[in-house]
Amino acid sequence: MTESSMGSFIHGLPKAELHLHIEGSLEPELMFELAKRNGIVVPYASVEEVRRAYEFTDLQSFLDVYYEGAKVLLEEQDFYDLAFAYIKKVSEQNVRHIEIFFDPQTHTDRGVSFETVIIGLRRALDDAQSQLDISSNLILCFLRHLSADAAMETLERAVPFRDWIAAVGLDSSELGHPPSKFERVFDKALSLNLKTVAHAGEEGPPDYIWQALDLLDVSRIDHGVRCLEDPDLVEVLRKKHLPLTVCPLSNVKLGVFKTLEDHNLKELLDAGLCATVNSDDPAYFGGYIEENFVAVQRALGLTRHHLYQLVRNSFEASFLSGEHQSELVRELDDYVGG
Ligand code: ADE
Ligand code: ZN
């Protein structure tokens, strides 16, 4: 298969994205537009200067820039515009289902209400369904560098919107903030019948993945690439068919792997793990989901079967109902068979 026919095969694949921070989809152009609309001064002279600043050495060096960028988001319409811009972009990449992380504390700590954030996002997701036939779920993430009490307070603010939220997650600075810190708040989320997920094994050790499984009862691990350091853990993940939401371009941008050729995605699949491909923070890491698929396919020489498996995994790992999952798998089978 030539490179261009593989590219068009990837483009046409019906896809799901399960690891996407909506604040990480803020493109510099929209950042400037929102800054102007809200009378906020951004510490960059131009779009080009913003893009030049996106040179990261590790997770923290990225998070510092990411939290700075999010300061332009103030009004409900800003959250709508942010989410709808992402939705439009991925609709052109044949994405059929999205599960979106949002970080309420990044906004509530600046005086923006929880309601403002979630109502703006929700309106965009409703329009995604009605205008573009893209289904979605929202995942509320707690910032792990903040306290467990602050996370609990955030969960309490979310209770009136329980029906709009599928799951809670854990993101931000991983090292030094193990899943165990959030056991109580995740217990409370589980008692509200929310699913749970957590970033673990991105920069942190396999032990953080064990903790996410044992203490937070997660349905998926976000990243999880360091699991291969622990064969017992691999065996448990495989037996439970516990999905990993892998983000190849992000991992290279943040120095988890030196190059894409060094990425362990193929080993994860070969180990029988339910790995999926996602973009994480596409505006900052140089690619949306399709660019992630194209780049990692080329770097690792993935076959059409690998690509099929990755997409199928993402439908099966989603929080969609069994019926909708089966419909999407059928769409995928029709595509690859046709
Ligand atoms: N928040 C946004 N992107 C993140 C990532 N890759 N890891 C942890 N927290 C994040
Ligand atoms: Zn992430």
Side-chain angles (χ1 to χ4, degrees), residues 19 21 199 223 280:
H19 186 152
H21 301 264
H199 283 55
H223 295 293
D280 208 4

Side-chain angles (χ1 to χ4, degrees), residues 27 33 61 67 74 84 118 120 125 144 149 161 165 169 172 179 185 212 215 229 239 244 247 268 297 323 336-337:
E27 292 286 353
E33 194 184 316
S61 66
Y67 293 129
L74 286 185
F84 204 72
I118 197 164
L125 299 183
R144 68 203 301 160
D149 285 348
F161 301 95
I165 300 168
S172 192
V185 69
L215 306 179
E229 295 168 30
K239 277 206 178 122
L244 306 179
C247 306
L268 295 171
Q297 185 281 323
E323 196 185 330
V336 296

Side-chain angles (χ1 to χ4, degrees), residues 19-21 101 171 199 202 222-223 245 247 250 280-281 285:
H19 186 152
L20 177 279
H21 301 264
F101 295 133
D171 66 2
H199 283 55
E202 178 185 16
D222 296 311
H223 295 293
T245 62
C247 306
S250 161
D280 208 4
D281 300 284
F285 298 151

Side-chain angles (χ1 to χ4, degrees), residues 105 143-152 181-182:
Q105 290 159 291
L143 298 182
R144 68 203 301 160
H145 68 276
L146 300 179
S147 70
D149 285 348
M152 190 63 94
K181 178 174 161 185
F182 296 94

Side-chain angles (χ1 to χ4, degrees), residues 13-16 94 96-97 129 133-135 308 311-312 314-316 318 320-336:
L13 277 167
K15 304 170 191 72
N94 291 306
R96 305 283 294 110
H97 176 70
Q129 183 68 70
D133 196 25
I134 296 177
S135 53
Y308 169 84
V311 172
R312 190 181 168 122
S314 67
F315 292 145
E316 290 176 354
S318 76
L320 281 171
S321 69
E323 196 185 330
H324 195 161
Q325 273 185 33
S326 308
E327 267 170 39
L328 290 174
V329 170
R330 225 172 299 129
E331 217 177 284
L332 170 66
D333 285 344
D334 287 348
Y335 176 75
V336 296

Side-chain angles (χ1 to χ4, degrees), residues 86-144:
Y86 162 75
I87 290 159
K88 258 181 77 187
K89 176 79 191 172
V90 296
S91 75
E92 291 155 12
Q93 302 192 338
N94 291 306
V95 169
R96 305 283 294 110
H97 176 70
I98 51 185
E99 303 204 338
I100 291 185
F101 295 133
F102 71 115
D103 289 341
Q105 290 159 291
T106 299
H107 314 297
T108 52
D109 285 3
R110 296 181 290 112
V112 177
S113 75
F114 187 93
E115 288 78 355
T116 297
V117 178
I118 197 164
I119 292 173
L121 295 177
R122 172 70 190 201
R123 205 154 50 77
L125 299 183
D126 285 347
D127 285 352
Q129 183 68 70
S130 62
Q131 296 175 24
L132 299 163
D133 196 25
I134 296 177
S135 53
S136 61
N137 279 315
L138 270 179
I139 302 176
L140 183 167
C141 276
F142 303 114
L143 298 182
R144 68 203 301 160

Side-chain angles (χ1 to χ4, degrees), residues 8 12 21 26 30 59 62 105 193 195 227 269 280 293 297:
S8 61
H21 301 264
L26 177 62
L30 184 58
L59 177 57
F62 154 68
Q105 290 159 291
N193 276 328
K195 305 258 192 220
C227 71
L269 288 173
D280 208 4
F293 268 111
Q297 185 281 323

